[in-house]
Amino acid sequence: TRRVVAKYLDPSSTGVSSVMTPNPTCVSMSDSAMDALATMVENRFRHLPVVDDSGAVVGLLDIGKCLDDAITKLERAQEKSSSAAEDAVKQMANVQGAGNAQAAALQQLLGPLMAQAFGGKSSPTLRSLLAGRPATIVRPGTNCREAGMIMSDARKAALVVEDGRLVGIVSFKDMMSRAIAKELPLELSDVTTIMTPNPESVSPDTTVLEALQIMHDNKFLTLPVCESNGSVVGIVDVMDL
């Protein structure tokens, strides 16, 4: 979206090499899962290619799945240990072979979450997370090019809102698979033609831990946040959490 739609490039005549991320960071099959997660956290990567010993790409890691798996392992470690949650993070990082920098990143990210889950602390809610942040909102009638520009600037999916109510969501995947891949004329195509209608939303009083679990269970990377009366509060993605 940022490198094609927002740049007004013609997808049918633009080579993939001109919009790709060159020489991406990769992990090998022998690297630990915690090491891979830490790399994604440190660099704010949503995905990370996995290569074998010959350098051939054999898979792609997703941060949502990796984070949920890490939390599950930490929960099990905490259940078996009387140590503090932050210590459990250190233990898991050491077991999984994460280096010092990676272990520090994991402790910074997961330590507070585990303390909230097991230390009697209240988990922050999405309301507090979204406080002061503008929502990425478009309205029916907005064309796909305009929506793509808004998404590119915010680096977030767009919520389609009509009369104050959420009617759809447009993710980067939607833009690629439903607009670019189908060669739609972006300036002439309404955003409602590519949105996912009536998306699931969560309350702003949902905790961060609950939101992570919902994302994993439903394979979501983003979650619209709405009040009980339907008014839109904003949108969170896995990198926010």
Side-chain angles (χ1 to χ4, degrees):
T1 300
R2 288 191 297 116
R3 298 177 184 179
V4 177
V5 177
K7 299 290 186 182
Y8 287 81
L9 297 181
D10 179 3
S12 63
S13 60
T14 301
V16 68
S17 61
S18 64
V19 298
M20 71 180 185
T21 297
N23 305 312
T25 300
C26 301
V27 292
S28 71
M29 294 180 67
S30 60
D31 287 333
S32 72
M34 295 294 275
D35 205 7
L37 175 59
T39 298
M40 287 190 277
V41 171
E42 285 184 288
N43 297 282
R44 295 186 64 81
F45 295 155
R46 292 173 184 268
H47 300 92
L48 197 61
V50 182
V51 297
D52 62 18
D53 292 339
S54 67
V57 176
V58 294
L60 188 67
L61 292 173
D62 172 86
I63 191 169
K65 179 63 164 61
C66 289
L67 185 55
D68 186 75
D69 286 350
I71 291 174
T72 298
K73 290 177 181 178
L74 288 165
E75 288 172 342
R76 292 171 182 165
Q78 181 66 12
E79 289 171 357
K80 297 178 180 179
S81 173
S82 59
S83 60
E86 287 82 357
D87 291 338
V89 175
K90 291 180 182 178
Q91 292 167 9
M92 279 303 300
N94 290 334
V95 168
Q96 294 293 326
N100 290 336
Q102 289 84 357
L106 289 169
Q107 185 179 358
Q108 182 178 7
L109 174 72
L110 298 178
L113 288 176
M114 298 310 296
Q116 291 149 12
F118 299 107
K121 298 180 182 179
S122 60
S123 179
T125 65
L126 300 185
R127 189 185 301 279
S128 63
L129 193 68
L130 290 170
R133 295 188 185 184
T136 311
I137 291 176
V138 298
R139 289 170 175 77
T142 302
N143 68 50
C144 290
R145 177 79 68 187
E146 291 178 278
M149 297 289 284
I150 292 170
M151 293 166 63
S152 175
D153 288 342
R155 298 201 175 192
K156 287 189 178 295
L159 300 178
V160 185
V161 177
E162 185 173 26
D163 298 328
R165 297 293 184 266
L166 179 67
V167 296
I169 184 172
V170 180
S171 67
F172 292 102
K173 180 179 178 181
D174 293 332
M175 185 67 71
M176 291 299 102
S177 63
R178 298 175 180 175
I180 300 302
K182 293 186 177 180
E183 299 185 348
L184 295 183
L186 300 181
E187 286 83 0
L188 301 177
S189 301
D190 194 296
V191 70
T192 57
T193 63
I194 66 168
M195 72 180 187
T196 298
N198 305 313
E200 182 176 336
S201 64
V202 295
S203 163
D205 297 318
T206 300
T207 68
V208 168
L209 285 172
E210 291 169 339
L212 283 169
Q213 192 63 54
I214 291 169
M215 286 182 174
H216 171 59
D217 291 346
N218 296 279
K219 301 189 185 309
F220 296 154
L221 288 179
T222 57
L223 273 178
V225 183
C226 299
E227 298 281 8
S228 58
N229 64 5
S231 61
V232 175
V233 176
I235 186 171
V236 294
D237 62 35
V238 69
M239 299 307 296
D240 294 324
L241 305 179

